[in-house]
Structure formats: structure tokens, C-alpha cells
């Protein structure tokens, strides 16, 4: 990964190499942490973080369902995010806030452990490869089911949940596909290992509802609002795998991925279509600050004189 100078750790900016934890940390042993993935873009107004507060509200909600009290308010974490971007002099970057049970007691109960909070910021390019957004990606329905709401709460972006994503991703990659699509335990389309999913059929957009074992994606919400503003009907509805095979268009969305057309699901060729292209460019214009229409989603970072 691309290292930067500083990491924000428990209230301080520390050198990248010094941001260390003890091997007996609870979060390492049991995956007891929550995290976020946020992008900061180089816009005409300067570096701007896309929907930062919305991401931090989800961060706090994720902690709540893990019985975890964050030691910092959303406002404090927001200004910490601004500070670490400015300290690293980054015009654009990916932000990775993580809160986890730290070093104190082993044993699955999380009591007796501090909650450590860090924010890593680093340049991160195209998540699924440079060509993914232009040419589209190939996908495979995973044999791994998406964790259900009574297995681990999927509304939480919890570190431990991502074993589920890791398995699905590795299975798909080893079989020669770019990305996995996971179904719920009862066979409905859920989401990708790091993306939500949309289907286009006869000019209407369909996406699984929030109750369907999916992460409540900020990009999903953004795409729904942009699509509706552009005059599309969007329905949150249950989808089965053949809805993907027979779709006019399928695309996946997420902070890291942005908007990736899905050109094939299993061995069904779908191709890349005009609705995906229109929403992809509207999304990219929005996050890069080229569109006034949704500019309220950008949180501009003040760079200090030494880093501007
Ligand atoms: N589903 C999952 C399982 C998921 O991890 C993400 C984000 C999404 C949907 C889309 O959510 P949002 O980013 O709020 O639109 N995945 C993050 C981490 C990926 C990683 O490999 O790490 C991301 O995109 O930042």
C-alpha cells in the first residue's frame, strides 16, 4: 500500500511506522472492531471528503450494535479526519477510520478493554482495477452466503464480518472472475464483498432492500438519489439470481469501487449499458466537485499553509 506520513491514533498524529498495537489486542484476536471506507477527492474547491458525516454516523451506529462506546464524538472524528488529510498534504485519498477493542483482557467478552480509534489516510486507486469502470467486471454468484441479521448484524461495518467478504472474493478470483455476488441464506441477492448492487430492467432501477443482509451503503443511497433526480424510478425489492441473468444492465457501487458496470454474471453476458454510464458519470461529476447539483455532499478540507 501507499504509505503516508501520519496516522491519527487515539487523539494524536503519529508517524506511519509507529502506529502499532499489541498482539494480544482483543480486536486482532476476535475481529471486534468497526470501520469505515471514505474517499476524499481533489475538487475545484480543494480536497473534499464525500459524505463524511454520513459515514461517521454509520461508524457510530456500527459501534452501537457491537456494544461499543466510541470515545470520540462524530464532530471530533470529523475534525481528526480533516487533520490527518492536511498533515499528509493529500489532495485525494481513501480514509480508513477503525475503532476496535484494544489491549487489556483476552476472552470473548469485550469488557476490560479500551476502545482504540485510528484514521489511516492513503492514496488508493481503482478498487477493481483500472479497466473496471470503463469495460465492466465479471462476477460470480458466491457459494458463500452473506452473513444474516441474526448471525452478525450486517448493518454494522464490523471488521469480523469481512471474513465473509474475504472468502467470497478469494473464491471468485481463484475461479477467474473479478468479483463475487453474495446471496442471503434464503437465496435472495444481497451485495458484493465490498459493493451494493443494482439491476436495470426496462428503464427501472432495482436494488435489494436494506433488510436483505446488506450494508446500508452510502454510495447506494447516493445513486438512488441521483437516479431519482434524473427521473428514474428506483425500487428497493427482493431479487433472485435470474433477475441478474435476465437484466438489461447490472452495476455495483461502493466508496472504493465507485460505479462499476457488471458485464457478466456467472457465464451470462450482460454487457455495459447507457443507464449505468449515465449514473456513473453523474456520480463521478458529483464526487469530483464538477456538479453543483449535489455539491452539499462534499466536505471541503482546509489545508494548513504548510501543506496546501
Ligand atoms: N457492501 C459491503 C459489504 C461493503 O463493504 C461496502 C463498502 C459496500 C456495500 C458499499 O458501501 P459504501 O462504501 O458505503 O457505499 N466497502 C468498503 C471497503 C472495501 C474494502 O475492501 O475494504 C469501501 O468501498 O470503502
Amino acid at each position: 500500500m501507499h504509505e503516508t506520513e501520519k496516522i491519527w491514533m487515539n487523539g494524536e498524529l503519529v508517524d506511519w511506522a509507529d502506529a502499532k498495537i499489541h498482539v494480544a489486542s482483543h480486536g486482532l484476536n476476535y475481529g471486534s472492531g468497526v470501520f469505515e471506507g471514505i474517499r476524499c477527492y481533489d475538487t475545484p474547491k480543494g480536497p473534499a471528503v464525500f459524505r463524511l458525516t454520513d459515514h461517521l454516523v454509520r461508524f457510530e451506529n456500527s459501534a452501537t450494535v457491537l456494544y461499543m462506546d466510541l470515545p470520540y464524538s462524530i464532530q471530533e472524528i470529523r475534525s481528526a479526519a480533516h487533520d490527518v488529510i492536511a498533515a499528509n498534504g493529500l489532495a485525494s485519498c481513501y480514509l480508513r477510520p477503525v475503532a476496535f477493542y484494544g489491549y487489556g483482557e483476552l476472552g470473548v467478552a469485550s469488557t476490560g478493554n479500551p476502545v482504540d480509534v485510528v484514521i489511516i489516510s492513503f492514496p488508493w486507486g481503482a478498487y477493481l482495477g483500472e479497466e473496471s469502470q470503463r469495460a465492466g467486471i465479471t462476477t460470480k454468484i458466491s457459494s458463500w452466503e452473506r452473513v444474516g441479521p441474526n448471525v452478525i448484524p450486517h448493518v454494522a461495518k464490523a471488521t469480523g464480518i469481512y471474513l465473509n467478504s474475504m472468502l467470497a472474493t478469494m473464491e471468485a478470483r481463484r475461479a477467474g472472475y473479478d468479483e463475487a455476488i453474495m446471496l442471503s441464506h434464503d437465496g435472495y441477492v444481497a451485495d458484493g464483498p465490498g459493493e451494493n448492487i443494482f439491476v436495470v430492467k426496462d428503464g427501472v432501477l432495482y436494488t435489494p432492500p436494506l433488510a436483505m443482509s446488506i450494508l446500508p451503503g452510502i454510495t447506494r443511497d447516493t445513486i438512488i438519489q441521483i437516479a431519482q433526480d434524473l427521473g428514474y424510478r428506483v425500487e428497493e425489492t427482493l431479487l433472485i439470481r435470474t433477475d441478474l441473468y435476465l437484466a438489461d444492465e447490472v452495476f455495483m457501487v461502493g466508496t472504493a469501487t465507485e460505479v462499476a458496470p457488471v458485464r457478466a454474471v456467472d457465464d451470462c453476458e450482460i454487457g455495459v449499458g447507457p443507464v449505468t454510464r449515465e449514473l456513473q458519470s453523474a456520480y463521478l461529476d458529483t464526487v469530483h466537485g464538477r456538479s453543483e447539483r449535489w455539491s452539499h455532499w462534499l466536505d471541503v478540507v482546509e489545508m494548513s499553509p504548510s501543506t496546501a
Side-chain angles (χ1 to χ4, degrees), residues 24 34 77 84 89 92 107 123 130 153 178-179 188 229 234 237 241 277 285 305:
V34 297
I77 303 173
V84 74
S92 65
E130 288 303 326
D178 297 320
E179 190 56 304
Y188 294 102
D229 284 353
V234 184
T237 187
R241 64 195 296 166
R277 284 280 177 242
D285 284 348

Side-chain angles (χ1 to χ4, degrees), residues 136-195:
I137 55 170
T138 60
T139 60
K140 174 187 176 2
I141 306 278
S142 185
S143 69
W144 298 102
E145 282 169 7
R146 181 76 162 109
V147 295
N150 298 317
V151 180
I152 309 175
H154 59 266
V155 293
K157 199 168 168 62
T159 57
I161 290 187
Y162 280 75
L163 275 182
N164 187 216
S165 290
M166 188 196 84
L167 290 168
T169 302
M170 293 309 293
E171 180 189 61
R173 299 262 168 95
R174 289 159 68 101
Y177 297 85
D178 297 320
E179 190 56 304
I181 294 174
M182 286 186 280
L183 306 180
S184 64
H185 76 281
D186 44 2
Y188 294 102
V189 176
D191 55 8
E195 309 86 359

Side-chain angles (χ1 to χ4, degrees), residues 288-302:
H288 287 280
R290 295 189 292 257
S291 155
E292 271 308 304
R293 192 162 177 183
W294 301 286
S295 58
H296 58 281
W297 278 326
L298 289 168
D299 186 342
V300 177
V301 179
E302 289 300 325

Side-chain angles (χ1 to χ4, degrees), residues 35-39 55 58 94-96 124 127 146 157 161-162 165 182 191-197 214-221 253-258 283:
F35 71 105
E36 271 305 318
I38 311 169
R39 275 195 191 270
H55 277 279
R58 186 174 67 186
Y94 185 83
L95 283 173
R96 169 56 55 87
W124 200 6
Y127 185 66
R146 181 76 162 109
K157 199 168 168 62
I161 290 187
Y162 280 75
S165 290
M182 286 186 280
D191 55 8
E195 309 86 359
N196 291 117
I197 188 157
I214 64 171
L215 183 76
I218 308 284
T219 320
R220 173 186 180 278
D221 179 72
V253 304
T255 300
T257 298
E258 299 176 316
Y283 181 79

